[in-house]
Amino acid sequence: MTTATITSYLSEHRERHLEELIDLLSVPSVSALPAHNADTLRAAEWMSESLRKLGMENVALHPTKGHPIVYGDWLHAGEDKPTVLIYGHYDVQPVDPLHLWDTPPFEPAIREERIYARGASDDKGQTFMHIKALEAVLATTGTLPFNFKFCIEGEEEVGSPNLPAFIEQNKEMLAADVVVVSDTSMIEEDKPTICYGLRGMCGFQLDVKGPKRDLHSGLYGGAVANPIHAVVELLASFHDGDGVVTVDGFYDKVVPLTSEEKAAFEAIGFDEAVVKEEVGVQEFYGEKGYSFYERTWVRPTLEINGVYGGFQGDGIKTVLPSEAHAKITCRLVPDQDPDEILALLQEHVTMHKPAGVEVTVSLFDKGAPFVTPFNHPAIQAASRAFEKVWEVPTTFTRGGGSLPIVSTLDEVLQAPIVLMGFGLPSDNVHAPNENFKLKNFDKGLLTLCAYWEELAAALDVE
């Protein structure tokens, strides 16, 4: 495989590829809305047919309690060759508010070298690129350097409720030596980025119950515990004045950064003034001794997402409320276990429960953190592929958010996961006028083709 041959093939077939992408993006596969169930199935069928045309075998729509999972494989490299699993999703977010779209979200439009449509960047466009990159390699060489498998789901935008069980039940079918996911973005334009870790998450709700009904604060205030006071007291107990979480044992298993990782973060550069202006704050907050990137990527957090109770209307109502509530989520880092953290949080609540009220803890969704070692050959091969095409150094990051299914793939398949995305912060993902820059589409295809070559060399595949 030569770069010139691949480049020539992709150039010659670019218009066809864009026409196919437009066809895919025209399908309103909004997984969250039952009214689009038939459309979501149509997108799954589109993906499966595309895999068949590519030459994948064992292509099937695997039913779930929700939307089907598309699987296909090409296993002709031989049992002695590594296997790569490519994960993506064909479902998309709802399009509201519709009136803010410049063109209809499911009538793809190309303008100013961007393609506009829901799913253009997240994640139809990026999943489609994997299919077309392998098409180019097969067409120009007649073979592939590895065994390849695809797992493309239709419920990522609603939390992947059925995929974890599918992965667990089909781990032999999905077994791989490397997992590649393109569902992330570059840190900025023309700055190729590899995200090699994501924070996990756990969430819970505090329900504080006081008297059996709302009371007149003049008659009972000062003698009956106020649930809102109790919630405030509990919430204040979770942090000290520097933002450090005060739950006993919360940091015990946190894995510190290596010197190489710290240097990579410092090399990114950080414009404090720009970020402050962007988010509208005068100063940052958080653990002393850690940079902005460290606080948001590799340190765990506990955030209060919502507090409610009592009178919410205009003016004053002198009420002592019967109950109050708070919603809380934690971002977790390796090696924090969501179940262990939730147990610590419950112990903390029990220990700090104010007198005169009853407190119930309700647990929400959770997901484990994950990290592929910074110096893993699969990660470094991706870096070289990016640099070969973009001709600039690759930026290494960890993600502050969570992709629970990635941690499931990590735990069940026990394979390194490479997050090499080609989106941009300006893609308006999950917002009106979602788009994908065509330069990133073109260079992304070349990068994926280069990656298979670099990965073959890294894994010593002849």
Side-chain angles (χ1 to χ4, degrees):
M1 179 174 67
T2 66
T3 300
T5 304
I6 288 289
T7 301
S8 176
Y9 179 89
L10 291 172
S11 177
E12 290 173 7
H13 294 82
R14 184 176 189 262
E15 290 307 311
R16 173 174 64 82
H17 290 166
L18 287 178
E19 289 173 2
E20 292 175 5
L21 178 57
I22 286 171
D23 189 42
L24 172 61
L25 295 175
S26 299
V27 182
S29 51
V30 183
S31 55
L33 301 179
H36 286 288
N37 283 352
D39 298 314
T40 306
L41 175 60
R42 188 153 56 94
E45 292 169 340
W46 195 103
M47 282 293 187
S48 61
E49 182 59 25
S50 187
L51 291 180
R52 290 189 186 94
K53 289 178 180 177
L54 173 62
M56 295 289 118
E57 299 172 340
N58 301 308
V59 177
L61 297 184
H62 291 264
T64 71
K65 293 178 181 178
H67 303 297
I69 294 164
V70 180
Y71 174 84
D73 59 38
W74 187 92
L75 306 177
H76 297 290
E79 294 183 1
D80 59 329
K81 297 291 178 67
T83 297
V84 173
L85 174 67
I86 297 171
Y87 163 84
H89 64 92
Y90 60 82
D91 65 319
V92 300
Q93 281 277 324
V95 299
D96 306 284
L98 187 59
H99 71 278
L100 294 181
W101 286 81
D102 294 333
T103 50
F106 297 111
E107 295 179 18
I110 295 176
R111 57 182 184 272
E112 298 178 348
E113 288 303 301
R114 290 176 180 266
I115 183 167
Y116 287 81
R118 174 60 89 225
S121 179
D122 180 23
D123 179 45
K124 286 180 177 177
Q126 298 201 63
T127 301
F128 176 82
M129 288 167 61
H130 277 282
I131 298 173
K132 296 299 109 176
L134 291 186
E135 174 194 297
V137 175
L138 267 172
T140 55
T141 68
T143 189
L144 297 173
F146 309 106
N147 299 301
F148 279 91
K149 299 175 179 178
F150 280 86
C151 178
I152 308 174
E153 69 159 321
E155 297 182 317
E156 195 276 343
E157 299 293 6
V158 291
S160 303
N162 294 295
L163 187 55
F166 177 82
I167 294 172
E168 190 70 53
Q169 294 163 8
N170 296 277
K171 56 186 176 184
E172 290 187 11
M173 181 179 78
L174 298 172
D177 299 286
V178 178
V179 179
V180 179
V181 181
S182 295
D183 194 14
T184 52
S185 297
M186 296 181 177
I187 197 166
E188 62 183 64
E189 191 166 350
D190 294 322
K191 205 164 189 176
T193 305
I194 293 174
C195 178
Y196 65 97
L198 294 168
R199 292 195 290 190
M201 189 180 77
C202 63
F204 63 104
Q205 177 170 315
L206 293 178
D207 298 301
V208 179
K209 187 73 174 69
K212 64 181 181 181
R213 64 178 186 277
D214 288 357
L215 302 176
H216 189 303
S217 66
L219 298 178
Y220 295 96
V224 175
N226 186 320
I228 294 181
H229 295 180
V231 162
V232 171
E233 186 177 334
L234 272 171
L235 297 181
S237 75
F238 284 122
H239 297 90
D240 69 12
D242 293 321
V244 176
V245 178
T246 53
V247 175
D248 288 342
F250 188 79
Y251 296 100
D252 285 358
K253 293 187 176 181
V254 173
V255 178
L257 278 181
T258 66
S259 57
E260 291 83 3
E261 291 175 293
K262 199 171 183 68
F265 289 2
E266 291 172 353
I268 295 171
F270 177 70
D271 194 324
E272 184 173 306
V274 169
V275 177
K276 285 179 179 177
E277 182 178 356
E278 178 185 335
V279 299
V281 298
Q282 297 298 314
E283 58 185 333
F284 292 129
Y285 163 87
E287 294 181 89
K288 292 180 179 178
Y290 295 96
S291 69
F292 180 89
Y293 287 140
E294 288 173 309
R295 290 174 185 172
T296 56
W297 292 347
V298 299
R299 296 297 294 171
T301 64
L302 185 152
E303 296 293 339
I304 300 161
N305 308 122
V307 183
Y308 55 101
F311 179 62
Q312 305 292 316
D314 294 334
I316 294 293
K317 182 181 181 184
T318 55
V319 64
L320 191 159
S322 171
E323 58 187 48
H325 313 271
K327 295 180 183 292
I328 299 167
T329 53
C330 296
R331 297 290 178 174
L332 309 179
V333 300
D335 286 325
Q336 290 179 305
D337 178 87
D339 290 320
E340 290 180 5
I341 294 299
L342 286 169
L344 294 175
L345 292 166
Q346 287 179 303
E347 290 175 13
H348 181 92
V349 170
T350 300
M351 187 182 307
H352 291 80
K353 183 186 80 66
V357 297
E358 296 301 320
V359 180
T360 303
V361 177
S362 302
L363 306 183
F364 292 150
D365 293 344
K366 61 193 175 187
F370 110 93
V371 65
T372 293
F374 180 76
N375 57 358
H376 193 284
I379 294 288
Q380 294 303 315
S383 172
R384 291 191 296 274
F386 269 123
E387 292 176 8
K388 183 176 182 180
V389 174
W390 298 80
E391 298 180 334
V392 295
T394 302
T395 298
F396 293 92
T397 70
R398 289 210 211 172
S402 306
L403 288 173
I405 199 58
V406 171
S407 65
T408 301
L409 290 166
D410 179 47
E411 291 172 1
V412 177
L413 301 185
Q414 295 289 298
I417 298 177
V418 182
L419 301 177
M420 49 190 309
F422 305 96
L424 293 172
S426 58
D427 286 353
N428 290 343
V429 168
H430 290 201
N433 297 314
E434 180 179 347
N435 65 88
F436 194 30
K437 192 158 190 172
L438 294 184
K439 180 174 76 171
N440 286 44
F441 175 79
D442 295 330
K443 283 193 169 185
L445 285 168
L446 289 170
T447 302
L448 290 174
C449 293
Y451 180 51
W452 306 132
E453 190 171 28
E454 292 290 344
L455 185 61
L459 300 182
D460 197 25
V461 174
E462 296 180 359

